[in-house]
Amino acid sequence: MKKIQMVDLVSQTQKIQSTITDSWNKILQTGAFIGGDEVNAFSKELETFLGNSSQVIPCANGTDALQIALMALDLKPGDEVITADFTFAATVEVIHLLGLTSVLVDVDPETFLMDPKRLEAAITDKTKAIIPVHLFGQCAPMEEILHIAKKHDLFVIEDTAQAIGAEYTFTDGSAKKAGTMGTIGTTSFFPSKNLGCFGDGGAIFTGDDKLAHIIRGIANHGMYQRYYHDVVGVNSRLDALQASVLRAKLPLLPEYNKARQEAARVYSEGLSGVKELKTPSFAANSTHVFHQYTLQVLNGKRDELQAFLASKDIPAMIYYPVALRKQKAYDTGNYNDAEFPVTDDLITKVISLPMHTELDSEQQNYIIDNIKAFFHENN
C-alpha cells in the first residue's frame, strides 16, 4: 500500500508534470516572471470558471487577498468586522493588522459555518462588514447572510480559501459559485488547497468594476500609473510560474472536487455504523467540495484516536484546537464563553482524516478498518 498522507501533492503533480514543465520552459526562455501572459490568461480563465461577471485580481496569497479586500472598502480604525470564531487565524489576523475591530460569533453545530442568528445579534452601529468563511469545502448560509447584510447596509467579504468550486443555490433557483455572492470574494492557492499552486498564491474576486479597479491598484503599491501612487497599497503579486501551475490545474478542478466527494462518500459509508462518530453534515443549498473531511468524536477519545491512528501510520489533524477568541493575539477580553457553546464543543471533538484527489480504496479501507478497530477495543 502506498504511504498515506494528509495531502498527496506529488502524485497529483505527476499527472500534469509535462504540461507544467513545458509552460515553465517557455517562461524561463522569456524571463517574464512577474505578470505577463500567464498571469493574465489565468485571470481570464478563472473569471470564466466563476461566472457571475466576476473580475479576478491575482495576488501573492490568501491572507493578502483578505487584507486587500478590507483595504479596498476604506474602513476606518475601530470599525467592526464580524467573522466566525471557528476558523483559521488569517481571517481575523487581517482585521487586526488594519486596526479594525474583530467581532467573533459562534457557528452552526451541524456544518461548522457562521450562524446567521448569532451574526445578526452581534451587529452594532460600528459594524461595517461580514466575513463568512466557507469552511472545509461548503458555502456558508449566504442567502441569510446577504439578507442581513442588505438590511444593515454591510459589506460581505467571502473567505473562499477552502471551497473554491463549491456552488450555492438560492431559493429562487439561481446558483452561484463560492466567492461570487458577496461584495468581494477571496481565495488562497496554497499547495494543499483544492486548487493549489507550487508555493503561495491567492486571488480576489468582485463583480463591481469600481472595486476591481481599486483592488488592482492596492495590490500594486497603490499605482494605477507607474510611479504615481494614488492610494496606500501593498506589494502582492502572483508570479508567472505559479500562474502556469494554476492554469494546468484549473480545467481539472471539477474532477479534483469530484474525487474528493467520492472519497468523502467512502468514508461516510464505511464509518456510518460507528456510534462514537458523527460524519460530516451537508449545508443546505450548498455543494461540498471537501477540502477537509472532518469527523466529530463523541465519546471524549478524540486525542486517543489521533494517537492510535499515528501508530498505524495514518495522519489525522485537528482543525482548530483553540478558538480564535482565546488566542493570545486576538483575545480582547470582551467575550462571554456562554455565547460560544458550539465552538467550544467542536474544538474538543473534531478530527480530520486524509483528504485529497489521490486517495485509493486500499488506503481508505485501511483507515476505516483501523478507526473501527480503535472504537471496538475501547468500548
Side-chain angles (χ1 to χ4, degrees):
M1 182 178 66
K2 187 167 62 173
K3 181 181 178 182
I4 298 173
Q5 301 179 67
M6 281 300 291
V7 182
D8 184 359
L9 296 175
V10 173
S11 296
Q12 185 188 74
T13 299
Q14 287 171 345
K15 297 178 180 179
I16 55 173
Q17 188 165 340
S18 61
T19 300
I20 293 170
T21 299
D22 289 345
S23 297
W24 280 25
N25 283 336
K26 291 176 183 176
I27 294 167
L28 293 174
Q29 290 166 10
T30 64
F33 299 119
I34 300 295
D37 292 343
E38 286 292 327
V39 176
N40 292 334
F42 171 66
S43 297
K44 295 299 181 186
E45 289 159 7
L46 185 55
E47 287 173 357
T48 300
F49 176 83
L50 292 171
N52 198 30
S53 301
S54 293
Q55 295 190 51
V56 171
I57 302 96
C59 61
N61 55 70
T63 307
D64 278 5
L66 285 165
Q67 179 176 327
I68 292 165
L70 286 170
M71 292 172 71
L73 300 175
D74 196 29
L75 305 183
K76 307 300 182 187
D79 286 348
E80 293 177 353
V81 180
I82 301 174
T83 192
D85 192 28
F86 186 70
T87 187
F88 183 61
T91 312
V92 70
E93 179 179 44
V94 296
I95 299 171
H96 287 251
L97 280 170
L98 295 174
L100 307 173
T101 300
S102 65
V103 176
L104 302 171
V105 297
D106 208 3
V107 295
D108 181 272
E110 297 296 320
T111 64
F112 317 150
L113 301 166
M114 179 182 281
D115 183 337
K117 292 176 182 170
R118 298 282 188 178
L119 162 64
E120 187 152 31
I123 293 172
T124 73
D125 58 2
K126 294 182 179 180
T127 306
K128 295 294 186 279
I130 307 164
I131 305 181
V133 180
H134 301 319
L135 195 71
F136 294 160
Q138 55 186 342
C139 296
M142 290 302 296
E143 189 153 15
E144 295 168 270
I145 290 170
L146 290 171
H147 174 76
I148 292 168
K150 184 176 181 181
K151 177 180 174 182
H152 296 277
D153 193 25
L154 305 176
F155 299 114
V156 176
I157 301 169
E158 296 174 68
D159 184 341
T160 316
Q162 298 187 14
I164 193 163
E167 193 168 83
Y168 185 92
T169 302
F170 292 82
T171 52
D172 65 2
S174 63
K176 293 182 180 179
K177 290 281 200 315
T180 70
M181 295 173 273
T183 315
I184 303 174
T186 67
T187 200
S188 165
F189 300 127
F190 187 77
S192 64
K193 303 302 185 188
N194 292 40
L195 178 63
C197 54
F198 287 177
D200 277 314
I204 307 156
F205 324 137
T206 184
D208 185 313
D209 292 346
K210 181 179 178 181
L211 269 178
H213 174 73
I214 293 169
I215 289 166
R216 285 193 176 91
I218 291 173
N220 187 34
H221 296 289
M223 291 190 295
Y224 301 97
Q225 180 181 351
R226 192 165 178 82
Y227 300 123
Y228 291 83
H229 304 270
D230 294 352
V231 296
V232 175
V234 298
N235 176 23
S236 187
R237 296 177 291 214
L238 180 72
D239 68 64
L241 294 171
Q242 302 305 337
S244 69
V245 174
L246 294 166
R247 290 191 71 196
K249 287 188 174 185
L250 180 58
L252 300 174
L253 180 57
E255 177 184 323
Y256 289 163
N257 286 342
K258 186 176 180 180
R260 288 171 176 271
Q261 291 165 339
E262 175 60 17
R265 183 193 65 79
V266 171
Y267 276 143
S268 290
E269 288 186 1
L271 297 171
S272 62
V274 182
K275 66 181 186 303
E276 296 89 350
L277 294 176
K278 185 173 183 180
T279 55
S281 298
F282 288 83
N285 304 95
S286 178
T287 59
H288 201 321
V289 295
F290 287 99
H291 176 62
Q292 302 294 347
Y293 181 90
T294 303
L295 297 163
Q296 294 184 61
V297 181
L298 306 178
N299 67 347
K301 296 185 180 293
R302 189 268 310 273
D303 294 350
E304 290 92 330
L305 172 62
Q306 184 183 36
F308 176 82
L309 293 176
S311 74
K312 302 296 182 180
D313 296 321
I314 300 170
M317 295 293 292
I318 296 169
Y319 308 109
Y320 301 94
V322 182
L324 287 178
R325 74 183 193 282
K326 294 187 176 181
Q327 297 281 0
K328 290 180 181 179
Y330 309 117
D331 183 357
T332 63
N334 296 325
Y335 293 109
N336 179 356
D337 288 349
E339 296 178 357
F340 296 85
V342 178
T343 294
D344 288 349
D345 186 51
L346 290 176
I347 62 177
T348 69
K349 292 180 176 178
V350 293
I351 187 167
S352 297
L353 301 182
M355 173 52 69
H356 52 82
T357 60
E358 309 305 310
L359 279 170
D360 60 42
S361 57
E362 184 180 17
Q363 291 174 314
Q364 285 201 273
N365 288 334
Y366 178 75
I367 295 167
I368 291 166
D369 289 346
N370 275 283
I371 291 173
K372 288 180 174 179
F374 170 81
F375 287 110
H376 178 74
E377 293 172 7
N378 285 273
N379 272 340

